[in-house]
mmCIF file of all heavy atoms in Angstrom:
data_model
loop_
_atom_site.group_PDB
_atom_site.id
_atom_site.type_symbol
_atom_site.label_atom_id
_atom_site.label_comp_id
_atom_site.label_asym_id
_atom_site.label_seq_id
_atom_site.Cartn_x
_atom_site.Cartn_y
_atom_site.Cartn_z
ATOM 1 N N LEU A 15 53.001 -31.970 -61.571
ATOM 2 C CA LEU A 15 53.437 -32.675 -60.375
ATOM 3 C C LEU A 15 52.346 -32.666 -59.315
ATOM 4 O O LEU A 15 52.096 -33.669 -58.640
ATOM 5 C CB LEU A 15 54.716 -32.023 -59.830
ATOM 6 C CG LEU A 15 55.961 -32.168 -60.716
ATOM 7 C CD1 LEU A 15 57.104 -31.339 -60.149
ATOM 8 C CD2 LEU A 15 56.368 -33.632 -60.834
ATOM 9 N N PHE A 46 41.712 -41.592 -77.495
ATOM 10 C CA PHE A 46 42.260 -41.098 -78.753
ATOM 11 C C PHE A 46 43.717 -40.650 -78.659
ATOM 12 O O PHE A 46 44.374 -40.479 -79.692
ATOM 13 C CB PHE A 46 41.399 -39.947 -79.287
ATOM 14 C CG PHE A 46 40.106 -40.412 -79.896
ATOM 15 C CD1 PHE A 46 38.896 -40.216 -79.235
ATOM 16 C CD2 PHE A 46 40.100 -41.065 -81.118
ATOM 17 C CE1 PHE A 46 37.698 -40.651 -79.792
ATOM 18 C CE2 PHE A 46 38.915 -41.510 -81.686
ATOM 19 C CZ PHE A 46 37.704 -41.306 -81.019
ATOM 20 N N TYR A 226 20.221 -49.273 -75.038
ATOM 21 C CA TYR A 226 18.854 -49.219 -74.489
ATOM 22 C C TYR A 226 17.861 -49.164 -75.644
ATOM 23 O O TYR A 226 17.173 -48.158 -75.856
ATOM 24 C CB TYR A 226 18.677 -47.990 -73.584
ATOM 25 C CG TYR A 226 19.656 -47.932 -72.445
ATOM 26 C CD1 TYR A 226 20.849 -47.207 -72.555
ATOM 27 C CD2 TYR A 226 19.404 -48.604 -71.245
ATOM 28 C CE1 TYR A 226 21.759 -47.173 -71.507
ATOM 29 C CE2 TYR A 226 20.304 -48.568 -70.201
ATOM 30 C CZ TYR A 226 21.480 -47.849 -70.346
ATOM 31 O OH TYR A 226 22.382 -47.810 -69.313
ATOM 32 N N GLY A 236 6.361 -37.768 -78.389
ATOM 33 C CA GLY A 236 5.452 -36.673 -78.665
ATOM 34 C C GLY A 236 5.827 -35.328 -78.063
ATOM 35 O O GLY A 236 4.989 -34.416 -78.030
ATOM 36 N N PRO A 285 29.263 -44.031 -76.852
ATOM 37 C CA PRO A 285 29.493 -42.635 -77.225
ATOM 38 C C PRO A 285 29.650 -42.486 -78.733
ATOM 39 O O PRO A 285 30.094 -43.413 -79.413
ATOM 40 C CB PRO A 285 30.796 -42.288 -76.499
ATOM 41 C CG PRO A 285 31.502 -43.601 -76.382
ATOM 42 C CD PRO A 285 30.422 -44.606 -76.134
#
Side-chain angles (χ1 to χ4, degrees):
L15 293 173
F46 284 107
Y226 303 95

